[in-house]
Amino acid sequence: MQEIKVTLTQNKKQKPPVEGLGFGNYFTDHMFLMDYYDGRGWVDPRIVPYGPLSLDPSAMCLHYGQEVFEGMKAYRRPNGGAALFRPDKNMQRLNVSNDRLCIPLIDEDFCVEAIKKLVDIDKDWIPDGENTALYIRPFIIALDPHLGVHPAKHLLFIVIMSPVGSYYKEGINPVKIYVEQKYVRAVKGGMGFTKTAGNYSASLKAQDEAEKKGYTQVLWLDGVERRYIEEVGTMNVFFKINGEVITPSLEGSILGGITRMSCIEVLRSKGYRVTERRLSLEEVVNAADNGTLEEAFGTGTAAVISPIGELIVGDREITINEGKIGEVSHLLYDTIVGIQNGTVEDTFGWVQNV
Ligand code: COI
């Protein structure tokens, strides 16, 4: 394994108060960097003081969006230590995104170790408060100073970290979701299954319009028939209809969430019937009409579990579970957050100590 060179900061920042953290507003004292050069591979892994990068204005990531990222969290444990939740899955998914965007693959085990080392150095930044964690953002950008459209030969892998509270101002309380029927996010054969900047910039217009109407996020439909449910802005989505917990199957245009995967495993272990399949908007609306739509919620690293209290379909407002937090959302929140924080036994072996 390559040695990670560490340069510690001489100017530690003051930590923000836990109450006002929000999401992604503050950054820790250090960051991880590693370069890729064609012919040399990934080299020079290093932890350095957090600070601005110097980029050539022609750096390819700025023009063609050759970029991938991940989202994961470090949690404070009851013994004062720190832990990560399924970091191996994040690094695996990063390589899936890398492959689609012609970015050289990373050594997954090495990168998990590098992230653990960075978290250990900045572990004082893991906030200690309900619904808080240290959000970790690994990302890779293309640096070649070049305006031709080709895969880059010089790239930079970076990890930054941010102490965060809830992603939504609603916290665990139900959100209002607008079903988007004008814009689409992704199509099969595109990049919808990857975590890359372009998927998120493609979502901004719809998100902005939904927010102006007073809704939290949009629910995307498939880009071809505009019929099947895909995902919500920053989350995967689940519906409980007549006792069956349904989440859209991963067919190329949806992000394979690690929280999604974990929720499926938790629910199956507790005896719930969970199905990954195509789910049409029509089926959800019919279920609302005939009283079998029992619950809906989103899942994601940033949002954790976010119950959906209202779904806006055209002119129609569908209230789900009387706008209250449902039984399945509660169970998942308590189990997943409990495993992450160390208050619920990790029978799945998902947590890795730092
Ligand atoms: C995450 O849940 O980690 C995400 O990547 C969502 C982010 C875009 C805020």
Side-chain angles (χ1 to χ4, degrees), residues 23 69-72 93 135 137 167 195 200 234 300-303:
F23 185 88
F69 72 94
E70 269 305 320
M72 49 207 288
R93 187 173 64 184
Y135 187 78
R137 171 55 59 87
Y167 186 73
K195 255 182 128 46
Y200 295 81
T234 58
T301 299

Side-chain angles (χ1 to χ4, degrees), residues 12 36 73 93 125 148-149 157 166 246 258 270 303 313 344:
K12 283 195 158 199
Y36 178 91
K73 282 176 175 168
R93 187 173 64 184
W125 282 86
V149 181
F157 180 102
S166 298
I246 309 159
I258 290 147
K270 299 205 184 271
V313 187
V344 167

Side-chain angles (χ1 to χ4, degrees), residues 27-305:
F27 297 93
T28 68
D29 286 319
H30 298 91
M31 61 185 180
F32 173 81
L33 301 176
M34 178 166 67
D35 286 277
Y36 178 91
Y37 297 100
D38 198 29
R40 288 180 62 202
W42 288 106
V43 294
D44 196 14
R46 54 207 187 271
I47 290 173
V48 297
Y50 182 96
L53 302 171
S54 168
L55 295 188
D56 194 293
S58 66
M60 287 170 69
C61 62
L62 301 176
H63 302 272
Y64 307 124
Q66 198 188 5
E67 187 269 1
V68 292
F69 72 94
E70 269 305 320
M72 49 207 288
K73 282 176 175 168
Y75 305 88
R76 188 169 288 290
R77 307 288 285 177
N79 64 4
L84 300 176
F85 183 73
R86 311 189 82 178
D88 46 320
K89 297 287 176 208
N90 289 94
M91 293 303 105
Q92 257 171 32
R93 187 173 64 184
L94 188 60
N95 266 340
V96 169
S97 302
N98 282 341
D99 181 57
R100 178 64 181 81
L101 277 110
C102 288
I103 291 177
L105 303 190
I106 50 148
D107 175 337
E108 295 167 16
D109 293 340
F110 175 74
C111 290
V112 168
E113 288 313 309
I115 290 170
K116 285 184 181 169
K117 193 167 176 120
L118 181 65
V119 170
D120 190 41
I121 287 175
D122 277 348
K123 60 178 175 300
D124 293 355
W125 282 86
I126 306 176
D128 197 0
E130 214 184 332
N131 298 328
T132 64
L134 184 65
Y135 187 78
I136 305 169
R137 171 55 59 87
F139 61 112
I140 301 177
I141 53 175
L143 289 187
D144 298 27
H146 180 59
L147 295 184
V149 181
H150 302 285
K153 292 182 161 56
H154 177 201
L155 299 101
L156 188 62
F157 180 102
I158 309 167
V159 185
I160 56 174
M161 306 196 295
S162 170
V164 297
S166 298
Y167 186 73
Y168 298 125
K169 65 171 178 7
E170 289 88 346
I172 173 77
N173 293 316
V175 292
K176 284 183 170 185
I177 301 290
Y178 180 80
V179 179
E180 179 55 58
Q181 312 214 36
K182 183 158 89 178
Y183 304 107
V184 298
R185 172 184 174 273
V187 290
K188 281 182 199 162
M191 304 192 299
F193 64 98
T194 68
K195 255 182 128 46
T196 185
N199 286 334
Y200 295 81
S201 51
S203 76
L204 293 175
K205 182 86 176 155
Q207 171 69 26
D208 188 48
E209 290 183 9
E211 267 176 27
K212 284 187 179 134
K213 291 182 196 142
Y215 309 122
T216 315
Q217 290 222 332
V218 303
L219 175 73
W220 297 105
L221 299 177
D222 77 275
V224 178
E225 294 181 64
R226 315 268 178 116
R227 187 168 167 209
Y228 295 100
I229 288 172
E230 298 240 303
E231 61 180 64
V232 173
T234 58
M235 307 186 286
N236 292 115
V237 68
F238 288 71
F239 290 85
K240 182 161 173 257
I241 300 178
N242 204 15
E244 178 190 11
V245 182
I246 309 159
T247 191
S249 38
L250 304 177
E251 297 183 16
S253 51
I254 300 176
L255 184 80
I258 290 147
T259 313
R260 172 191 182 278
M261 176 194 294
S262 307
C263 287
I264 294 173
E265 288 175 55
V266 166
L267 289 177
R268 287 194 176 140
S269 77
K270 299 205 184 271
Y272 281 85
R273 186 155 59 98
V274 188
T275 320
E276 294 176 75
R277 65 169 171 87
R278 286 189 137 197
L279 173 66
S280 67
L281 177 61
E282 194 186 352
E283 185 178 341
V284 171
V285 172
N286 286 343
D289 286 339
N290 66 29
T292 55
L293 175 58
E294 294 159 4
E295 206 175 323
F297 53 91
T299 66
T301 299
V304 195
I305 307 294

